[in-house]
Amino acid sequence: MKKGWIAVLTCSFILTTACSGQTKSTTDAPPTVDAGTPEATYQKNCMNCHGMNLQGGTGPDLTKVGSKLSKEDIHKVLENGKGRMPAQKSYINAEDLEKLSTWLSEKK
């Protein structure tokens, strides 16, 4: 009789454990992008403060930054920092800074 209860409890535990696992929503993960693209640079260096979709967070919303700042102004902010944003020239190489500036300037 004890063996029967142990088997029932073991099966119940296995089913409960296996069925209760939650999977992470795919909307919580950033989209996959090719390395070397401005999107990849953004994900690696900017997304934590400016959000997965440029919507802002700790940093400001960048969805329409190109309508507010020129490519040159965006590049200066990225390179030298502004306010609480640190300079990125120590983290992002010059070529990727240029690509990122261009990409962000197109957000209008």
Side-chain angles (χ1 to χ4, degrees), residues 27-68:
T27 59
D28 293 342
T32 303
V33 295
D34 294 329
T37 64
E39 293 89 342
T41 303
Y42 177 84
Q43 281 186 0
K44 181 179 178 187
N45 299 282
C46 313
M47 188 172 68
N48 285 340
C49 295
H50 295 283
M52 184 171 27
N53 298 309
L54 297 106
Q55 77 278 9
T58 305
D61 183 323
L62 299 176
T63 56
K64 296 182 181 181
V65 69
S67 64
K68 298 172 189 169

Side-chain angles (χ1 to χ4, degrees), residues 1 6 9 20 23-24 30 37 42 49 51 53 72 75-76 79 82 84 95 98 102:
M1 186 68 171
I6 292 173
L9 289 174
S20 67
T23 57
K24 188 173 184 177
T37 64
Y42 177 84
C49 295
N53 298 309
E72 293 76 21
H75 194 281
K76 286 178 190 174
E79 195 170 49
K82 183 176 180 181
R84 296 187 314 169
E95 181 182 345
E98 184 65 27
T102 301

